[in-house]
Every structure is written in structure tokens, then in C-alpha cells.
Amino acid sequence: MTEANKQEARERAILCALDTGRQVLNEAEAVTAAVSASGWARTEAEVSLEELRELARTAGADVVGTVLQARPSADAALYLGQGKIDELKEMVDADRCDLLIFDGELSPTQLRNIEKATGARVVDRTTLILDIFAQRAKSREGRLQVELAQLQYRLPRLAGQGTSLSRLGAGIGTRGPGETKLETDRRHIERRIKAIRQELKSVEKRRNMLRARREKNGVETVVLVGYTNAGKSTLMNTLTEAGVLAEDKLFATLDPTSRALRLPSGRNVMLIDTVGLVRNLPHQLVEAFHSTLEEAASADVILNICDASSPEYEDHLRVTEEVLKDLGAEGIPTLRVMNKCDLIFETPHRTKDTVYLSAKNGSGVTLLLEAVEEACPKPRVHVRFRFPFEELSQASILRDDSAVLDEVYTEDGLELEVICSARMADHYKEFLTEQNKEDEHVSDDRRQ
């Protein structure tokens, strides 16, 4: 298909949103954050509608118009008011529109009523995001996670499809109207959801085993998190030459990528990319990608990547920090990485917990590597212990949490040569051999 034909095949969409008047920013924040052309802080609906436009573009649609209605709450039957729906019908006919995209989650009743009133196909924000994820997922795990989210979203929306497809049974007690298509579809979806969850459990088990192995072998991890299209993949490529797809689109990459990263001192860590976040990310997707996002909860350092050129950068940081809190990642050293600083003519620099850089041209990357090294826990140590026979239970605990290099039973007990955390070595310092005791005292590596 030629480029012209591809462009012609793109769906023409109208964006629809409800403005309840809630402002994204309070008066104090409005001084330094997003403001509209008129100088007033933009409402949440205006910011979300702009993001919906980018989502539609990423999904492959051409936005030919927008409808934004101010009202206290959504109409139970039509989401928008009847007058706006009539106006929408005229726009659909005039612009030869294929699709209406609503910036909210529609109920099955609202969806059917709007489609009937306008004659156009209708999707809501959740369906749009799920569609993008379905396009972008490449790995087996990613596709399963997206399918699970789609089925969970579709299941409660099967109602109301009619009973015209009911079928008859073939035995005593099954004659009559029979089982409806609705019931068979629901049962099929429930079976598929159960099967996917079982498969994802095995994938998660393998992921947890790899994570435990990394921890035992002393592999430190640095995890990239952040709002979608903030430049995580570009930064990953700049730091490690990972070759990850990097495009100016939302959710350009979904599948996590892990690469070795060498810090200025020569210390090696594992750099892990995660799925991007977005405002009002469907809870089905958060649940489905939970195991992937959990990499952040076990990381040694978290890099919160943010697009410094975005007028909503503070809101993006807040969304990411809320997700990290939900994942139980509080207390882990976190650096804010303000990417694309060249677009706001900001010179690369760093403060206590923030680094300003440009991943695209590589400026400021050295500052980031230095900040990561400072945030990482103290390195693991190579030590030798001697445990008396009556203390072998302690040796068992140490063995489980360390990489064992040598293990020898003597007449005095058990000698273990291990690589373990400085904290663990300090905890068992009474069992260190004389050679280790002469070395520099091993200090606690707990995050401070």
C-alpha cells in the first residue's frame, strides 16, 4: 500500500469530552506550570483532551474536530447533552466522520445510544488505549497482558446485545429458548481470562526467579519509569545502545528491556525499561502489567523520566509517583530526570535529586551516571566466614542470600567464601575469618 493510500485509509475521528470545570492547577502552581493562551490555568478536561488527541494520532486516526461541553456531570443516557449530540450528528455528516472518541469511560447504554443517535462508531478513552497497546505489544507476555485487559473490559459490556441468537439444546430439559449468545460469550470470555491468568502466573514466576537470582548474585538494578513519550527508550538507547524503538508517539514501546550499564567507576548495573504511564490509565491495564511494573518495587534506584518541555510536567511527575506508591516503591532512592531540556533552552545540570539532560543529543548524561552511582547502595563485598557447627543455621541464612564461591567443612565448622551485601557482612562480622577482620570495616548499605 502506498503512503497516499495509507493516509486515505486512516479513520477520521471527532474527539468528545466533558468539562466539569475542575482546574488541573491551584493558584500557586499556575505561576510555574501549564497555562492556556489566555493566561488562565487550564482545566483538567482541556489537558486531557489534548492528550486524547495524541492518543488518537498514535492509534492511526486523523482528528477532524472536537466537541467539549461544560456541564456538572455526564448525562446518564448520552454522556453529553441532547443538544450536543444533535450537533455531533451534524458534524459527523458534514465531515464524513468514521469514529467518535470520548474522553471518558462510557457505559454500554451510553455507547449504544450515542451510536444510534449519530450513526458513527463510538469508542471511549479506555478502548482507545487498549487498542494502542494491542498494536504495540510484541512479546508473548505483552500480548497476553493486553488481551487480558481487553477481555476484562469487555466482559461487563456484553449485556444488551440482544437474545436473538439464542440456541436450542439437544436433550431433555434443554428445549425452549435455550442458551443465549450473551451467556455463551460470557462463559467463553471467563474461561479465556482464567487461562491467560494461569499463563501469566508462570511468566511472573520466571520473572521472580530471575529477579531473585539477580539479587543473590549482587546484580544491582536501575529502573526507568515515567509518563509515556517522555523519552525513556531514547535514554535507554543513549546509555546502553539497546536499539529500542523510539518514536514521537505515545506507548511506542511496551515490552520491558534490560541492558547492562557501566557507571563511571567501572561498576556495572542492570538498566530496565518499563511501560509508560498516562493520565487515567485503565485499571485493567495497570492490573495486567502489574508484574512488569513491579520491577520498580525491587529496584536499587528508580529514574522518574519526565518531559521537561511539557507544560504539564508537574502533573506527569505526580501521576508516576502515585503509581510507584501503589506498587510499594516508597523508600527506594529516586531521581527525577527532566529530559528534553534543550527544548526549553535549559543547560544540563543537576540538583540534589533532579538531573536536567537531553537524551537525544546526549548532553547531561554524564551528570546522570554520576547521580545514579551516588544513589546506588554500597557495593557487595567478597568475604570469607567460619561458622562453628552449632551456628550452621546462621550459615544457611547467609547462603540463601549470597553468591557462594567456596564451601568447605573443617574440624572447626563450615567455611564459606561468598559475595554478599555489606549489610549482611556487617551482620555476621563475628564469624569473619582473621584475614577479613584485618580488612577495612564493612559498613551498612541500607538506603539512606
Side-chain angles (χ1 to χ4, degrees):
M1 182 182 290
T2 66
E3 192 63 34
N5 289 335
K6 286 182 181 178
Q7 186 68 23
E8 186 177 340
R10 291 170 65 92
E11 292 182 280
R12 297 167 60 82
I14 296 176
L15 308 183
C16 312
L18 198 64
D19 188 353
T20 59
R22 179 183 172 187
Q23 287 190 343
V24 176
L25 311 167
N26 58 38
E27 293 180 2
E29 293 172 322
V31 175
T32 56
V35 293
S36 65
S38 62
W40 296 99
R42 292 196 286 177
T43 64
E44 182 175 344
E46 291 171 329
V47 173
S48 187
L49 188 60
E50 186 61 32
E51 187 174 271
L52 187 69
R53 182 186 295 274
E54 285 301 305
L55 288 169
R57 181 178 72 88
T58 300
D62 289 327
V63 177
V64 297
T66 59
V67 169
L68 180 62
Q69 182 179 29
R71 55 179 295 151
S73 60
D75 182 79
L78 293 168
Y79 192 76
L80 301 178
Q82 182 64 58
K84 278 294 179 183
I85 293 295
D86 294 339
E87 180 183 328
L88 202 53
K89 166 65 174 170
E90 295 176 2
M91 292 177 64
V92 167
D93 295 338
D95 296 325
R96 301 190 308 280
C97 174
D98 308 301
L99 182 65
L100 300 178
I101 303 176
F102 280 73
D103 190 25
E105 191 167 301
L106 300 178
S107 69
T109 300
Q110 290 170 332
L111 192 146
R112 285 196 313 274
N113 290 343
I114 297 170
E115 285 187 341
K116 183 178 179 181
T118 61
R121 193 162 61 87
V122 178
V123 300
D124 58 13
R125 183 187 182 91
T126 300
T127 303
L128 180 64
I129 294 176
L130 290 173
D131 182 78
I132 295 171
F133 270 59
Q135 293 180 40
R136 300 288 179 172
K138 302 299 180 185
S139 69
R140 172 65 176 163
E141 180 185 4
R143 290 195 295 268
L144 284 172
Q145 289 167 327
V146 172
E147 184 183 356
L148 175 61
Q150 288 176 319
L151 292 175
Q152 287 176 322
Y153 185 69
R154 181 185 171 194
L155 184 59
R157 287 165 171 76
L158 289 176
Q161 294 183 359
T163 58
S164 59
L165 295 178
S166 65
R167 61 183 184 182
L168 295 176
I172 296 174
T174 64
R175 297 179 178 86
E179 189 174 39
T180 66
K181 180 68 163 56
L182 169 64
E183 291 164 341
T184 57
D185 283 352
R186 180 178 287 123
R187 192 167 64 248
H188 172 74
I189 289 177
E190 288 173 345
R191 280 200 302 265
R192 181 59 184 156
I193 287 176
K194 184 178 180 180
I196 292 175
R197 280 179 169 161
Q198 285 296 115
E199 196 164 348
L200 285 175
K201 277 185 180 179
S202 64
V203 173
E204 186 175 355
K205 184 177 179 181
R206 289 196 297 271
R207 186 190 298 278
N208 290 336
M209 289 175 62
L210 289 173
R211 188 181 298 143
R213 186 181 303 170
R214 287 200 305 262
E215 293 174 356
K216 185 172 181 178
N217 292 335
V219 178
E220 294 159 327
T221 57
V222 178
V223 174
L224 303 176
V225 299
Y227 218 72
T228 182
N229 206 29
K232 294 190 302 300
S233 297
T234 302
L235 181 60
M236 184 89 171
N237 291 336
T238 300
L239 292 174
T240 67
E241 299 181 355
V244 178
L245 174 67
E247 292 182 339
D248 184 20
K249 289 185 177 180
L250 306 189
F251 305 116
T253 53
L254 293 181
D255 302 313
T257 305
S258 302
R259 293 290 187 275
L261 174 65
R262 192 174 183 85
L263 299 178
S265 66
R267 184 177 182 179
N268 289 315
V269 297
M270 184 70 73
L271 187 65
I272 302 176
D273 193 8
T274 60
V275 64
L277 305 175
V278 72
R279 182 185 285 103
N280 300 325
L281 189 67
H283 68 86
Q284 294 91 350
L285 278 174
V286 174
E287 179 184 346
F289 281 82
H290 195 269
S291 62
T292 305
L293 292 169
E294 271 186 340
E295 290 287 358
S298 61
D300 293 288
V301 178
I302 296 173
L303 302 183
N304 184 354
I305 316 299
C306 182
D307 180 358
S309 67
S310 171
E312 285 82 41
Y313 73 90
E314 289 189 349
D315 200 32
H316 294 178
L317 288 170
R318 177 188 57 78
V319 169
T320 305
E321 288 166 358
E322 286 177 356
V323 172
L324 290 175
K325 182 178 179 181
D326 292 340
L327 292 171
E330 290 180 296
I332 297 177
T334 302
L335 294 172
R336 288 183 171 185
V337 181
M338 305 302 291
N339 189 26
K340 308 182 185 181
C341 71
D342 54 312
L343 298 181
I344 56 173
F345 308 106
E346 185 80 39
T347 304
H349 67 279
R350 61 172 288 201
T351 60
K352 181 179 179 181
D353 59 355
T354 304
V355 179
Y356 287 81
L357 56 75
S358 172
K360 188 175 182 179
N361 60 35
S363 61
V365 167
T366 302
L367 296 174
L368 175 63
L369 293 176
E370 292 172 353
V372 169
E373 184 137 43
E374 292 175 13
C376 279
K378 293 181 180 178
R380 289 162 73 90
V381 293
H382 182 179
V383 290
R384 194 173 187 90
F385 295 94
R386 183 182 295 114
F387 290 92
F389 286 110
E390 61 270 20
E391 299 288 352
L392 288 185
S393 60
Q394 299 294 321
S396 178
I397 297 173
L398 176 66
R399 187 189 291 111
D400 289 341
D401 292 334
S402 308
V404 179
L405 304 180
D406 190 26
E407 184 174 351
V408 179
Y409 282 94
T410 67
E411 59 183 16
D412 297 324
L414 172 65
E415 288 195 5
L416 283 176
E417 183 181 358
V418 301
I419 294 177
C420 65
S421 68
R423 177 184 55 80
M424 185 71 73
D426 196 46
H427 182 73
Y428 290 108
K429 61 185 178 182
E430 63 181 290
F431 301 111
L432 287 171
T433 62
E434 292 301 321
Q435 179 182 354
N436 285 303
K437 290 181 179 179
E438 293 173 1
D439 295 337
E440 183 180 354
H441 178 69
V442 179
S443 60
D444 196 336
D445 77 331
R446 293 179 65 86
R447 302 180 180 96
Q448 293 181 355

